[in-house]
Amino acid sequence: MGRETSDASNRKGPILAVIISGAIVAFFNQTLLNVALPSLMNDFQVTTAAVQWVVTIYMLVNGVLIPTTAFLMEKFTTRQLFISAMGLFSFGTLLCGLAPVFGVILFGRMVQAAGAGILMPLMTNVIFHLFSKEKRGSAMGGVGIAMVFAPAIGPTLSGWVLEHFTWRVLFFIILPIALIVLILSVFVLKNVSETRNPKLDFLGVLFSTLGFGGLLYGFSSAGENGWLSKSVLVPIAIGFASLAVFIFRQLRIDYAMLEFRIFATPTYTLAVVISLLLNMSLFSGMILLPVYVQNILGLTPLQSGLLLLPGSLVMGIMSPITGRLFDKYGVRWLAIIGLTITIATTFLLSRLTMETSFWYLTGVYTVRSLGLSMLMMPVMTAGLNALPLRLNPHGTAMSNTVNAIGGAIGTALFVSIMSARSAVHTEEIIRRQGLNPADPEQMRWATLEGMTKGTDDAFLLATLFTVCALIFALFLKDENNASPDEARREKSLP
């Protein structure tokens, strides 16, 4: 095992390239179907509520599987895990592309998610074992491309493909790329960390699945069904109860599946909280802007994807740059400057009107993306740097799980607030303007004006989240100096 780990250190360039390529394919797949849902509804003759499961079930399986990745990374080698994950992802993609009925595409999405859920924690763990603390920022900059750029260009590509081809082409674009990465991994990958023989906590897996799965399902349903519906309250209640049992059990057993004591490290805890708030704020733009530009400004899905594209390019370009800045200056000032930009631009998005121009939205969203690019990877890297290397699998699994829940909460929260506030504003406009409820044109104008103001209210809440993140960022400390034990280990790295 020691020789294999040393070989991996000497071949870290090719290993990192293969790992990141796999992650890019997986993250790209996350948002690929968002604008294809109407096509799926027509082809399979399913309702809006049913077709949403194509997106929801992917997120659910991802969120449920991620907490187990700490155990998997200790039990199996990097090579075994990556090949298995890419194999599952490729098989799931093939199933989706060939799906004759709606049930098959749902099953294919579950298989895809099972593979993708392993890739992100595995990629982070590989980087933290191959690179010293002083170089991890630059390496994680490449991860930022996978995390932000790939899923952000998904809707743009989907919009173009759907204008010219069937939705099945989307999966057959991904499949050959996934297979190439899979074949390369067989020849390139080596193990980068020591494996152990941990005992699997079956009760922990059960309560983890019920806990995180219940929360993700409940929060995902809130945007459509309302926060007070049984389909939301019951899963959330089961989720919180199961999660409480899971945490209590993990703190008492000797072979914890997910180590919650890592939250005793202040920098890590701060980083997780900031990442949670940022992830929720990030989803406000990704969810609200396409709805606003299509339903209120009357633009096409392709145009809404193009609106987000410059911001995605900025995040992709800036990610390696901010990684190097992190290595040189640390996280604190990057976070403060990035959050200041994010607060200002998110606030500007809370001042939209029915006459707001496409170019204004594109400009503000692009600058906002610049701010976020200074935050996402540096904050996550700073938190993981504060942990001992042996706890990195647990830290990575925990932060990814929290971010998955944050994304579900953010999506549900912003959609429900926009919907509820839109209804309130519409009623106020009708009453204040003395409009005639029998006049369709007046009601249409009142509805669109109310939706605009509801969108503004949702972005105002997103601004509040980023202000809270800035307050927490003021307490961040830079911990880029390795411990003596880790320093001795890292001397062997090139």
Side-chain angles (χ1 to χ4, degrees):
M1 184 65 65
R3 176 183 296 177
E4 189 177 4
T5 303
S6 177
D7 290 345
S9 297
N10 293 322
R11 300 179 59 190
K12 60 186 178 183
I15 291 174
L16 190 62
V18 169
I19 292 281
I20 291 180
S21 298
I24 288 175
V25 175
F27 282 117
F28 179 63
N29 181 72
Q30 281 183 343
T31 57
L32 197 65
L33 289 184
N34 287 7
V35 299
L37 297 184
S39 300
L40 293 174
M41 290 173 62
N42 292 331
D43 280 13
F44 292 115
Q45 294 298 299
V46 293
T47 64
T48 303
V51 80
Q52 286 292 337
W53 274 100
V54 171
V55 176
T56 304
I57 205 164
Y58 188 90
M59 183 173 62
L60 273 174
V61 174
N62 243 304
V64 167
L65 183 66
I66 287 173
T68 67
T69 55
F71 165 81
L72 294 174
M73 286 188 286
E74 292 178 342
K75 180 74 172 178
F76 302 102
T77 68
T78 307
R79 189 172 185 272
Q80 290 171 333
L81 271 183
F82 187 86
I83 291 174
S84 299
M86 285 305 302
L88 281 171
F89 182 82
S90 301
F91 178 60
T93 303
L94 179 63
L95 284 177
C96 290
L98 297 175
V101 294
F102 187 65
V104 174
I105 196 171
L106 281 184
F107 180 69
R109 290 288 281 175
M110 292 176 66
V111 176
Q112 273 190 321
I118 299 171
L119 289 173
M120 178 58 192
L122 179 64
M123 176 175 59
T124 307
N125 190 50
V126 166
I127 288 173
F128 272 68
H129 277 84
L130 286 182
F131 294 87
S132 66
K133 284 189 175 183
E134 293 76 16
K135 298 178 182 178
R136 285 174 188 162
S138 299
M140 290 292 284
V143 179
I145 299 175
M147 278 192 68
V148 180
F149 179 64
I153 66 171
T156 305
L157 178 63
S158 296
W160 181 84
V161 168
L162 292 171
E163 285 190 358
H164 300 87
F165 307 101
T166 174
W167 58 266
R168 295 181 188 274
V169 173
L170 296 172
F171 292 107
F172 291 115
I173 290 174
I174 292 178
L175 182 60
I177 302 173
L179 289 175
I180 290 171
V181 174
L182 176 61
I183 293 169
L184 287 175
S185 67
V186 173
F187 297 99
V188 171
L189 281 189
K190 300 289 184 182
N191 192 38
V192 302
S193 60
E194 300 292 334
T195 56
R196 299 189 295 120
N197 190 29
K199 183 179 179 182
L200 180 62
D201 177 18
F202 290 100
L203 282 177
V205 173
L206 173 63
F207 285 115
S208 168
T209 301
L210 289 174
F212 293 115
L215 292 179
L216 284 165
Y217 178 80
F219 288 129
S220 298
S221 303
E224 180 182 356
N225 301 322
W227 289 92
L228 298 180
S229 67
K230 288 184 179 179
S231 61
V232 173
L233 292 179
V234 172
I236 289 178
I238 293 173
F240 274 120
S242 301
L243 194 56
V245 175
F246 175 65
I247 294 172
F248 180 75
R249 178 174 175 80
Q250 297 306 295
L251 292 174
R252 291 178 62 87
I253 62 177
D254 295 329
Y255 47 93
M257 186 179 83
L258 195 57
E259 181 58 80
F260 281 84
R261 293 180 182 87
I262 56 180
F263 285 114
T265 304
T267 299
Y268 177 79
T269 302
L270 280 172
V272 169
V273 172
I274 293 169
S275 294
L276 173 65
L277 293 169
L278 288 175
N279 210 41
M280 293 173 68
S281 181
L282 176 67
F283 269 80
S284 69
M286 294 178 68
I287 297 296
L288 297 176
L289 275 184
V291 173
Y292 168 78
V293 299
Q294 290 181 53
N295 292 349
I296 298 172
L297 299 186
L299 303 181
T300 66
L302 177 58
Q303 287 173 313
S304 67
L306 289 173
L307 185 151
L308 305 179
L309 186 58
S312 306
L313 292 172
V314 166
M315 295 190 84
I317 293 169
M318 285 299 298
S319 192
I321 296 173
T322 54
R324 295 190 192 98
L325 291 173
F326 171 83
D327 287 338
K328 189 172 183 179
Y329 300 107
V331 69
R332 191 167 183 268
W333 284 107
L334 269 178
I336 291 173
I337 295 170
L339 277 164
T340 302
I341 295 172
T342 305
I343 290 169
T345 49
T346 306
F347 180 75
L348 289 175
L349 290 175
S350 72
R351 291 293 179 265
L352 303 178
T353 69
M354 290 175 62
E355 288 75 39
T356 300
S357 72
F358 175 89
W359 296 111
Y360 173 87
L361 290 171
T362 303
V364 172
Y365 185 81
T366 302
V367 177
R368 185 173 184 261
S369 299
L370 173 65
L372 287 169
S373 71
M374 303 173 72
L375 298 167
M376 306 298 287
M377 279 297 99
V379 168
M380 180 180 175
T381 306
L384 293 173
N385 269 349
L387 297 176
L389 194 59
R390 63 183 177 81
L391 290 177
N392 179 265
H394 295 271
T396 302
M398 187 75 75
S399 61
N400 279 279
T401 302
V402 171
N403 283 336
I405 293 174
I409 295 174
T411 301
L413 187 61
F414 292 123
V415 169
S416 60
I417 285 177
M418 182 190 70
S419 300
R421 294 298 297 167
S422 294
V424 171
H425 284 301
T426 300
E427 290 180 5
E428 288 180 350
I429 291 167
I430 293 172
R431 185 178 63 255
R432 188 174 62 249
Q433 299 286 340
L435 302 180
N436 179 11
D439 187 331
E441 192 61 32
Q442 289 186 6
M443 290 303 98
R444 179 179 178 277
W445 176 84
T447 301
L448 292 178
E449 182 70 16
M451 286 181 63
T452 302
K453 291 184 179 298
T455 303
D456 288 345
D457 290 344
F459 272 119
L460 199 58
L461 179 64
T463 305
L464 179 61
F465 285 156
T466 55
V467 170
C468 292
L470 176 60
I471 293 171
F472 285 117
L474 296 175
F475 298 95
L476 276 176
K477 294 182 179 179
D478 294 309
E479 301 188 24
N480 275 8
N481 294 323
S483 65
D485 290 341
E486 190 174 350
R488 282 195 294 271
R489 177 195 172 280
E490 288 170 347
K491 284 181 181 179
S492 64
L493 299 180

